[in-house]
Amino acid sequence: MRYGYFDDTRREYVITRPDTPLPWINYLGCEAYFGIISNTAGGYSFYRDARLRRVSRYRYNNAPFDLGGRYLYLRDQDSGEFWSPTWQPTRRALQEYTCSHGLGYTIIASRYASIAAEVRYFIPLGENLEIWQLNLKNEHGHPARLSVFSSIEFCLWDAQDDATNFQRNFSTGQVEIEDGVIYHKTEYRERRNHFAYFACSEKPSGFDTQRDTFLGPYRGWEAPAAVERGGCFDSVANGWAPIGSHQIDLTLMPKETREIIFLLGYHENPADQKFDPPGSQTINKKTVLPVIRKYLVRSNANAAFEQLKAHWDELLGTFQVQTPSADADRMVNIWNAYQCMVTFNMSRSASFYESGIGRGMGFRDSSQDLLGFVHMIPERARERILDLAATQLPSGGAFHQYQPLTKRGNNDIGSGFNDDPLWLILGTAAYIKESGDWSILEERLPYENEPGTETPLYEHLQRSLGYTLERLGPHGLPLIGRADWNDCLNLNCFSDTPGQSFQTTTNKDGKTAESVFIAGLFVMAARELAVIAQRGGLREEAERCLAAAARMEATVLQHGWDGNWFLRAYDDYGHKIGSAVCEEGKIFIEPQGFCIMAGIGLENGHALKSLAAVREHLATPHGIILQQPAYSQYCLDLGEISSYPPGYKENAGIFCHTNPWIMIAEAMAGHGDEAFDYYLRINPSAREEISEIHRCEPYVYAQMIAGRDAATHGEAKNSWLTGTAAWNYAAITQWILGIRPEYDGLRIDPVIPAGWQGFKATRRFRGNTYVIEVKNPSSLNRGVKKLLVEGREIPGNLLPAVAPEAAVIHVEAVL
Ligand code: BGC
Ligand code: NOJ
């Protein structure tokens, strides 16, 4: 069953009923000011940091799930009837409803009582404000006397404090109202030099800024007292809960249309120019008013929207494909790329499943997000790499996260994940391969943001490798630390205390538990660093990396191979995990993916055996599960993985992030049909038809789909912020379609289903645009036999990166 449809031409997903199984959300904003918006206009906004600079308030875990947002109310002044054009929060049954989520904007259109309403929400490029463009049309045969009420609930900035520190916060809230603009200025009088504002293009006939006056005692957002009686109270918030609401009264003649623009924004003043006149407590509005005035003008708002569209056209133009699969095309050309941008911006901080107060930018998460983002804006990827590296510890280890506002690492959500530092090498390599910019390696960056400790980025990468090598266990495999990529495989935790966080508690500084996953990751990273060293003329250093990789590979083959698949780990007692000898958790997906991707077992047949085992034990129609059999009870020595009921999350859920590793491994083995088959199983668009089972958005990947052991097999959770986005993008574009940036050029090495007659792609790469046609006349899976560049055959399958002279280069590859 579907709840909408893809409009590929407009690059939108159009939801046709408001009561989707879960809120289906979208993101607004590209750089500093961001918003989350659901299909019923729920959600909130923040400036840079979802925790520390929350502009509007949102309550997670609400009932209904999605309550609180950018709500409007329409009231017919004659009948007294009122409704929300975005359905929530009144939930009055609308006669028509569509929500079109586009790239960086959302349009919700509806009709009720012959009033057509459309609200377009977006954030202009380069601005710290959002525009709500409301268009009304009277479709009655008679004049309509309407009141429009806007509403936004302000957050007192630090979302964590806002949700907990009521004894203080009920006394701090302050607003200012001037010329119809509502300013939220809590704590502006003291140490903050930023405020929020809510403006409107029409002259309001009333306003409210005190939430409980607007709503009335013991009432909620579904029927505010002000809306019900048809008039705001002109309340001024002093403490309690500051909100913004404008009342606009208008009469629409038959067929008449009217546009009203609302702006919700964030603004900063220099610390010494906060007040006007100086010495007063009144906000200095000199620099904010021009911005407000600009975007309240319709033509300016429309121009900003067109710019936003053009921006996305340009970004997506970096890579466009036409394959025999509509699901692949739609994800590659539109939604997967878009999700990669969102994960790049948000890491795992703010979604409808990440509260915005729990996590900042994850070290391993952001490093991996680069893989799907770097081709769109390499300069921003570069900045991110430098930010990450500057938080690295002198030991080569990493803070698990940093807050985007301060850019400083912290251990709030744990530390000692021994895989963390290695991902920086993969992220940096991806950047260089895309951009050809080797100079990044010379950037001097501190450790732990400590001035005076700067070394070139290259040394940071060396220390990343060193960190693993200095932490080897009894078999010579890397020690796992708190956990590796699988946050929940906690082999040094031994937690028996209810509620204790597995992510922050380590009860043992273990020197025994080892990870085969990190071993695979290490081999991959060490070989990458070897190439980088070689290029920098550091031949000995390159050999050292290669030797370390070879030693680790041999160790994996000796101690990390279980006979039919790669082992997962050794626990604190030296017992095997992910082995046929185990009762539960006999086979795990991660080492199969990572060891093969690192090239281990491709020559001796282990890779093929491992892939066959994955197919036999882990593959389901809804994707590949993380391990089997699921842990049926809590195991003190395994930690959080066994805390989940079987089939969910890391305990044998389909943890989608890992699936593309197997797709890539299959592709490396030349198995185009298998790789693409796995690709389609978790492709959200291919699952649209079963939206009532999948339940999450059909246009983006979710972190997890419930596994075979779960009561709700096939049900997705935690949409949007997941490494699944970047890795699937890499799997389909670089390994299945096989258009892969390398240090010296663009590799063309498709591994596709034999049934495909070919495909076309356009790829911008280092200043040139390659228009590529792949032909598969002999129904093969792999193997470019002939490569023609501008009609001339060249040897091999690498398009050498040439200085941009020809803007467009035509390429034909025949398998
Ligand atoms: C989840 C992991 C997550 C970790 C860190 C765990 O509860 O299962 O997927 O990465 O928390 O927040
Ligand atoms: C989600 C985290 O964001 C990611 O870093 C981790 O690898 C997976 N969970 C698996 O535990």
Side-chain angles (χ1 to χ4, degrees):
M1 176 182 169
R2 299 175 189 222
Y3 292 78
Y5 59 90
F6 285 94
D7 183 335
D8 293 334
T9 318
R10 293 171 59 96
R11 296 182 165 146
E12 290 174 351
Y13 190 81
V14 184
I15 301 163
T16 47
R17 51 187 283 186
D19 57 340
T20 45
L22 288 165
W24 284 5
I25 70 164
N26 192 15
Y27 283 82
L28 310 175
C30 296
E31 270 175 274
Y33 183 95
F34 294 103
I36 306 182
I37 184 163
S38 74
N39 56 308
T40 62
Y44 60 94
S45 299
F46 58 93
Y47 173 74
R48 287 194 192 278
D49 192 312
R51 170 166 175 182
L52 300 175
R53 287 291 155 84
R54 189 79 67 98
V55 170
S56 56
R57 186 177 276 165
Y58 188 77
R59 287 172 199 78
Y60 278 90
N61 210 356
N62 222 328
F65 188 125
D66 177 24
L67 180 63
R70 301 168 182 85
Y71 293 147
L72 296 170
Y73 301 85
L74 299 179
R75 183 175 185 279
D76 182 324
Q77 289 175 37
D78 293 317
S79 68
E81 234 196 323
F82 62 90
W83 69 97
S84 302
T86 63
W87 194 57
Q88 275 273 68
T90 64
R91 292 194 295 282
R92 196 126 314 140
L94 298 165
Q95 282 140 5
E96 272 173 35
Y97 160 93
T98 55
C99 166
S100 309
H101 284 318
L103 307 183
Y105 67 88
T106 287
I107 301 171
I108 303 180
S110 64
R111 185 188 315 271
Y112 186 84
S114 297
I115 301 295
E118 183 189 282
V119 207
R120 182 163 82 180
Y121 298 96
F122 70 100
I123 296 174
L125 293 172
E127 300 288 3
N128 296 323
L129 62 91
E130 61 193 69
I131 299 182
W132 313 358
Q133 247 174 315
L134 169 68
N135 268 287
L136 295 171
K137 183 171 185 197
N138 177 10
E139 296 183 343
H140 284 292
H142 54 81
R145 295 200 315 125
L146 294 176
S147 293
V148 179
F149 296 85
S150 63
S151 69
I152 195 77
E153 187 171 0
F154 294 110
C155 180
L156 307 188
W157 306 117
D158 179 339
Q160 165 86 23
D161 188 74
D162 182 69
T164 46
N165 194 7
F166 306 109
Q167 60 80 24
R168 179 173 200 275
N169 296 342
F170 282 167
S171 292
T172 57
Q174 288 196 302
V175 296
E176 216 172 282
I177 302 126
E178 194 178 296
D179 293 335
V181 184
I182 296 166
Y183 296 88
H184 172 232
K185 59 169 194 178
T186 300
E187 292 185 351
Y188 188 74
R189 61 187 306 284
E190 32 127 347
R191 291 155 298 173
R192 295 188 185 273
N193 62 343
H194 52 90
F195 57 89
Y197 56 88
F198 192 32
C200 164
S201 61
E202 302 277 312
K203 194 172 157 37
S205 56
F207 64 85
D208 270 307
T209 63
Q210 183 63 277
R211 184 190 66 203
D212 298 315
T213 307
F214 177 72
L215 297 180
Y218 283 91
R219 299 169 70 112
W221 294 95
E222 69 288 345
V227 178
E228 194 174 276
R229 75 167 194 160
C232 279
F233 298 92
D234 296 352
S235 60
V236 178
N238 287 291
W240 300 112
I243 62 158
S245 175
H246 309 92
Q247 175 187 350
I248 296 126
D249 297 327
L250 45 109
T251 302
L252 288 182
M253 300 314 281
K255 305 289 169 257
E256 189 185 343
T257 58
R258 185 75 65 87
E259 176 161 313
I260 306 173
I261 296 176
F262 297 94
L263 304 180
L264 175 65
Y266 168 93
H267 196 78
E268 287 177 1
N269 273 337
D272 57 350
Q273 292 164 38
K274 281 167 61 169
F275 303 105
D276 184 24
S280 76
Q281 289 288 295
T282 310
I283 298 176
N284 173 359
K285 309 190 179 77
K286 285 202 183 76
T287 53
V288 75
L289 280 176
V291 185
I292 295 179
R293 289 198 188 109
K294 175 173 177 189
Y295 289 102
L296 288 179
V297 175
R298 182 178 177 179
S299 54
N300 293 336
N302 288 344
F305 183 74
E306 291 311 319
Q307 271 169 22
L308 179 68
K309 286 208 86 142
H311 172 72
W312 272 106
D313 288 345
E314 166 72 16
L315 285 182
L316 295 183
T318 313
F319 203 166
Q320 290 287 299
V321 299
Q322 268 174 281
T323 74
S325 162
D327 296 312
D329 288 4
R330 174 179 287 153
M331 291 311 290
V332 172
N333 295 340
I334 308 170
W335 293 100
N336 194 176
Y338 181 56
Q339 188 178 2
C340 286
M341 169 66 101
V342 171
T343 56
F344 174 83
N345 283 329
M346 301 285 139
S347 190
R348 307 296 170 267
S349 66
S351 73
F352 267 29
Y353 309 90
E354 300 281 4
S355 66
I357 59 182
R359 307 206 245 174
M361 314 298 284
F363 193 92
R364 87 153 80 86
D365 296 322
S366 289
S367 297
Q368 289 172 81
D369 291 343
L370 292 170
L371 306 179
F373 169 83
V374 61
H375 66 295
M376 287 190 274
I377 316 182
E379 308 75 50
R380 287 191 67 201
R382 187 183 209 273
E383 260 173 60
R384 177 63 48 78
I385 292 169
L386 304 184
D387 285 349
L388 285 165
T391 68
Q392 196 176 14
L393 300 166
S395 64
F399 282 109
H400 201 46
Q401 69 152 18
Y402 70 90
Q403 281 307 126
L405 201 63
T406 61
K407 294 196 175 174
R408 298 186 87 90
N410 62 58
N411 283 335
D412 292 356
I413 60 153
S415 60
F417 297 83
N418 279 354
D419 63 313
D420 266 340
L422 293 171
W423 297 106
L424 187 64
I425 301 178
L426 299 195
T428 307
Y431 168 74
I432 300 174
K433 289 176 185 174
E434 180 65 39
S435 63
D437 170 21
W438 292 87
S439 77
I440 190 173
L441 295 167
E442 289 149 35
E443 288 283 348
R444 294 180 65 82
L445 303 156
Y447 294 86
E448 248 189 295
N449 300 99
E450 202 52 62
T453 61
E454 291 79 2
T455 73
L457 173 63
Y458 176 72
E459 186 174 331
H460 283 256
L461 304 184
Q462 280 179 308
R463 292 198 198 184
S464 293
L465 270 198
Y467 181 87
T468 307
L469 289 175
E470 284 156 23
R471 286 166 184 75
L472 298 179
H475 298 92
L477 291 164
L479 291 175
I480 198 167
R482 172 185 308 288
D484 57 26
W485 172 89
N486 189 334
D487 286 327
C488 300
L489 190 60
N490 311 125
L491 304 180
N492 292 300
C493 192
F494 308 99
S495 177
D496 55 6
T497 308
Q500 194 168 55
S501 162
F502 295 97
Q503 303 298 315
T504 51
T505 309
T506 314
N507 291 327
K508 188 163 180 182
D509 181 18
K511 298 277 185 285
T512 307
E514 299 167 295
S515 161
V516 177
F517 170 84
I518 301 183
L521 174 61
F522 176 87
V523 172
M524 202 187 228
R527 294 203 167 125
E528 206 70 83
L529 201 59
V531 180
I532 291 174
Q534 183 80 40
R535 287 310 178 89
L538 305 169
R539 203 146 24 99
E540 277 175 27
E541 165 73 15
E543 312 236 294
R544 262 202 304 279
C545 290
L546 287 178
R551 265 198 314 277
M552 189 65 80
E553 175 166 6
T555 308
V556 170
L557 291 172
Q558 196 184 347
H559 298 293
W561 177 249
D562 195 52
N564 287 304
W565 53 78
F566 292 99
L567 263 184
R568 178 65 177 84
Y570 288 94
D571 69 11
D572 187 51
Y573 314 100
H575 297 152
K576 292 176 178 175
I577 292 182
S579 158
V581 304
C582 302
E583 244 170 67
E584 296 179 331
K586 287 173 188 287
I587 170 170
F588 280 68
I589 191 172
E590 307 101 303
Q592 319 314 322
F594 251 83
C595 290
I596 300 174
M597 286 199 295
I600 307 173
L602 278 171
E603 264 148 38
N604 68 0
H606 284 6
L608 293 185
K609 271 195 181 172
S610 141
L611 288 172
V614 168
R615 189 156 287 269
E616 183 182 341
H617 301 289
L618 302 178
T620 81
H622 295 291
I624 313 169
I625 46 190
L626 197 140
Q627 98 276 16
Q628 273 293 290
Y631 294 108
S632 56
Q633 45 187 289
Y634 178 62
C635 315
L636 197 68
D637 346 318
L638 298 178
E640 184 165 359
I641 190 168
S642 60
S643 75
Y644 290 110
Y648 292 98
K649 292 278 288 178
E650 282 88 343
N651 189 12
I654 295 157
F655 215 91
C656 297
H657 186 144
T658 62
N659 280 219
W661 299 343
I662 300 298
M663 297 168 205
I664 296 172
E666 290 281 13
M668 290 176 83
H671 302 162
D673 285 285
E674 288 77 358
F676 192 71
D677 166 41
Y678 285 140
Y679 173 75
L680 277 189
R681 292 187 198 201
I682 62 165
N683 177 306
S685 159
R687 298 173 62 76
E688 185 196 15
E689 207 64 72
I690 53 162
S691 286
E692 78 286 7
I693 297 172
H694 185 77
R695 300 185 77 231
C696 277
E697 297 91 331
Y699 42 91
V700 289
Y701 288 97
Q703 181 202 57
M704 197 264 312
I705 298 174
R708 194 158 54 200
D709 305 274
T712 55
H713 186 31
E715 177 193 34
K717 276 186 196 149
N718 304 353
S719 58
W720 281 95
L721 302 187
T722 161
T724 312
W727 276 105
N728 270 284
Y729 192 82
I732 182 74
T733 60
Q734 300 188 14
W735 296 93
I736 297 176
L737 302 178
I739 301 176
R740 189 162 65 243
E742 291 189 359
Y743 295 111
D744 296 319
L746 205 51
R747 181 77 60 192
I748 309 293
D749 185 19
V751 187
I752 53 176
W756 283 18
Q757 286 172 4
F759 66 90
K760 292 182 181 156
T762 307
R763 175 67 154 88
R764 278 207 302 268
F765 180 69
R766 300 194 201 170
N768 288 308
T769 301
Y770 294 87
V771 178
I772 303 163
E773 181 161 6
V774 173
K775 295 184 174 163
N776 185 20
S778 320
S779 301
L780 301 174
N781 286 124
R782 167 183 229 172
V784 171
K785 288 205 195 92
K786 204 157 128 192
L787 191 63
L788 300 166
V789 179
E790 292 295 340
R792 277 205 314 274
E793 189 164 349
I794 64 163
N797 63 356
L798 184 74
L799 298 172
V802 288
E805 42 184 39
V808 178
I809 299 173
H810 293 91
V811 176
E812 190 180 311
V814 185
L815 305 192

